[in-house]
């Protein structure tokens, strides 16, 4: 059988390496850090990166002793230059999987290809419903009675790409955007950690650089 090919396929066997990208508070990231710290999730967080200065996500990662970086979107004359700089910086950590955890930027198809399609995103709605930066607000405004969260392989669109896992969350009559988002995040954290765990042990197929999917553990 032909060996799976990918950026880190070589003879490497060890914990799955992830780079996590954040734009804000990084509470979902904190749950991942805690799961790793408590031995509940066998992945290596190679680095945490942000698209802006001063995020709590980066601050809490530094507090946890993790490698961090910022590729500031506003410091580049064009999106393409920012994207290229982000790609190189993330690639320098040789991740098996890149995780967008509240990273509020679209990356290019080149970025995703560079990481073999292994770009994971979490979203606070049941995709394909309510994509974008205001998934919780939009679901509430529409009046849905059930919403939830999605973990999926991201492509270069806005919250598009193959869905891996979803969890439903019931909307309460007195929910505000904040109260609903908090309950969704509780489900989202569990879902993200579960997907990372199943990926790490090969229970979930990951895109491989030959365009197929592979189920071997990292
Ligand atoms: C999460 O709910 C995540 O799904 C959402 O941002 C929040 C980040 O929270 N992402 C999107 O809306 C992407 N379209 P956190 O910074 O506290 O982890």
């Amino acid at each position: 059988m032909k060996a799976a090919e990918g950026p880190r396929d070589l003879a490497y066997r060890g914990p799955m390496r992830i780079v996590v990208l954040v734009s804000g508070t990084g509470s979902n990231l904190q749950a991942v850090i805690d799961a790793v710290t408590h031995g509940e999730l066998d992945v290596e967080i190679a680095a945490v990166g942000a698209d802006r200065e001063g995020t709590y996500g980066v601050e809490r990662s530094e507090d946890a002793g993790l490698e961090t970086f910022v590729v500031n979107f506003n410091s580049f004359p064009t999106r393409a230059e920012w994207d290229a700089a982000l790609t190189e910086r993330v690639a320098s950590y040789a991740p098996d999987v890149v995780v967008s955890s509240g990273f509020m930027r679209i990356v290019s198809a080149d970025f995703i290809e560079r990481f073999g399609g292994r770009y994971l995103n979490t979203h606070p709605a049941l995709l394909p419903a309510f994509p974008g930066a205001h998934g919780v607000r939009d679901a509430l405004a529409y009046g849905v009675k059930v919403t939830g969260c999605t973990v999926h392989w991201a492509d270069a669109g806005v919250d598009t790409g193959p869905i891996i896992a979803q969890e439903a969350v019931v909307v309460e009559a007195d929910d505000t955007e904040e109260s609903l988002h908090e309950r969704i995040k509780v489900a989202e954290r569990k879902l993200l950690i579960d997907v990372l765990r199943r990926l790490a042990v090969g229970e979930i197929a990951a895109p491989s650089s030959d365009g197929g999917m592979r189920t071997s553990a990292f």
Side-chain angles (χ1 to χ4, degrees):
M1 200 174 80
K2 187 171 170 284
E5 289 169 359
R8 282 175 53 85
D9 285 344
L10 306 178
Y12 179 82
R13 287 294 177 271
M16 182 175 87
R17 279 170 71 85
I18 62 172
V19 167
V20 183
L21 301 177
V22 295
S23 293
T25 58
S27 65
N28 290 355
L29 162 66
Q30 184 67 57
V32 174
I33 294 172
D34 291 346
V36 171
T37 307
H38 298 141
E40 293 154 6
L41 177 64
D42 188 22
V43 308
E44 183 184 343
I45 305 172
V48 173
D51 61 332
R52 61 198 75 184
E53 302 292 342
T55 62
Y56 189 40
V58 162
E59 191 185 320
R60 59 167 99 229
S61 302
E62 281 168 358
D63 290 348
L66 293 170
E67 171 89 15
T68 65
F69 64 91
V70 174
V71 181
N72 191 337
F73 185 83
N74 293 324
S75 303
F76 291 82
T78 64
R79 174 179 284 275
E81 286 165 271
W82 168 78
D83 192 274
L86 180 72
T87 305
E88 290 313 315
R89 188 65 195 253
V90 173
S92 73
Y93 300 104
D96 296 305
V97 173
V98 183
V99 182
S100 158
S101 185
F103 189 58
M104 305 308 264
R105 303 271 179 208
I106 301 305
V107 296
S108 69
D110 286 349
F111 176 99
I112 292 164
E113 196 177 312
R114 180 73 173 264
F115 303 106
R118 295 190 294 275
Y119 183 48
L120 209 64
N121 182 44
T122 75
H123 184 71
L126 294 175
L127 293 173
F130 309 116
H134 305 291
V136 180
R137 187 188 306 171
D138 294 346
L140 207 51
Y142 195 93
V144 295
K145 303 303 175 206
V146 176
T147 181
C149 51
T150 303
V151 177
H152 66 109
W153 293 116
D155 59 23
V158 178
D159 298 316
T160 52
I163 290 170
I164 301 170
Q166 293 184 306
E167 187 77 33
V169 173
V170 171
V171 180
E172 305 292 351
D174 59 350
D175 259 331
T176 61
E177 182 181 352
E178 290 69 32
S179 66
L180 180 56
H181 201 167
E182 265 322 303
R183 279 206 318 291
I184 290 173
K185 280 189 182 182
V186 171
E188 201 177 3
R189 289 171 193 137
K190 273 201 211 132
L191 201 66
L192 175 60
I193 289 167
D194 189 55
V195 165
L196 287 172
R197 187 189 56 73
R198 289 161 62 204
L199 261 176
V201 298
E203 279 179 27
I204 292 177
S208 71
S209 45
D210 61 8
M213 300 288 279
R214 63 180 180 144
T215 51
S216 56
F218 289 92

